[in-house]
Amino acid sequence: MSFTVIVPARMASSRLPNKPLADIGGKPMVVRVAEQAQKSAAARVVVATDHPDIAAACAVHGVDAVMTREDHPSGTDRLAEAVARLGLPADAIVVNVQGDEPLIEPALIDRLAALMAACDAPMATLVHPIHSAAEFFNPNVVKVVLDDDGFARYFSRAPIPYARDAFAASRETLPEGLPAWRHIGVYAYRAGFLPAYTALAVAPTERFEALEQLRVLWHGHKIAVATLDAAPPAGVDTPEDLERVRALFAAN
């Protein structure tokens, strides 16, 4: 099984300016992400960026980078341009690792690539169980309903599947056996699907839920899902997240 990891990294960030270049233990965050990805079985790891400073930082640390346009509406669109620039064949497996995941586990990347290789879906992702009612009812936590074959049926910020009778009595705990899954925002694709995806019309469900993966389901494509036993390490969205990750690197 051969696959390529692409790390989309754009300079603009409303909550954490210049996030990809934030220093973590003497190296920019995007470089830390790429180095973690290099520990996987990937044949190649490439950063796809819109800014020459990010490309330059990658070059200093021996990380491959490709320049992409500044005006992409999503990381998936940036990924599609990078795949085209790299000349990857349509059947190539591409794993999209976000540029703010410096603690991503290499085994998680391998698991996702293996799932992609073993199924006929054009896209794959990961989930882990939800055990907390607070997490289940939190709209910032994206929930997934799966079918019996391990494919995603729907993603939502709403609490799904909704345990009607149990929640009528109490919403303090989750009923035993509720198939509550939290989505982990790491994806794998077949390279040929990416330009097709960017050409799809925005789905009404996507527009209201603000979840771009719903576009795939709306247009009738499959998303394969691998289940993890527990949540992976969290990424960096805020200054507090950055300090937490810096402390972990300093400790190690």
Side-chain angles (χ1 to χ4, degrees), residues 210-228:
L211 298 172
E212 65 176 279
Q213 65 270 34
L214 288 173
R215 189 184 316 178
V216 177
L217 300 182
W218 178 267
H219 290 281
H221 300 285
K222 289 183 176 181
I223 300 178
V225 178
T227 59
L228 305 180

Side-chain angles (χ1 to χ4, degrees), residues 222-247:
K222 289 183 176 181
I223 300 178
V225 178
T227 59
L228 305 180
D229 293 333
V236 175
D237 288 322
T238 66
E240 292 76 19
D241 292 335
L242 180 58
E243 291 309 313
R244 169 180 53 81
V245 171
R246 282 172 169 166

